[in-house]
Amino acid sequence: MAQGAAPAGGVAAECLQQGGRIGVQVVPGGFEPGSNGQIPRGIREVADRYVVDGLRATSGGFCRVRGEIRRLV
């Protein structure tokens, strides 16, 4: 996983505390703001923001990451 600034054309997502787990939501201005996303659990930290190359909506109401995952610093 790379780190850096948000590249043009990427989609930003943020990790949030949701009950007893850390969830991922697309940030406003992204794919579908407020949508739940999937970023591997092993790299999730509350309040971290990530940029991914793209997202793909699923029938389950969440978005799967497409391409590289980059943590914003």
Side-chain angles (χ1 to χ4, degrees):
M1 177 182 58
Q3 294 187 359
V11 179
E14 181 174 23
C15 294
L16 305 168
Q17 187 72 45
Q18 297 175 332
R21 65 184 190 89
I22 300 173
V24 178
Q25 285 194 335
V26 177
V27 298
F31 177 72
E32 290 181 26
S35 297
N36 292 322
Q38 283 192 321
I39 289 178
R41 287 187 178 127
I43 65 170
R44 296 181 195 176
E45 293 289 333
V46 174
D48 276 359
R49 284 190 170 209
Y50 297 89
V51 170
V52 298
D53 293 333
L55 295 172
R56 178 176 48 92
T58 68
S59 60
F62 59 90
C63 306
R64 290 194 191 269
V65 169
R66 293 180 56 168
E68 188 176 0
I69 300 169
R70 294 173 295 280
R71 179 179 290 144
L72 295 178
V73 292

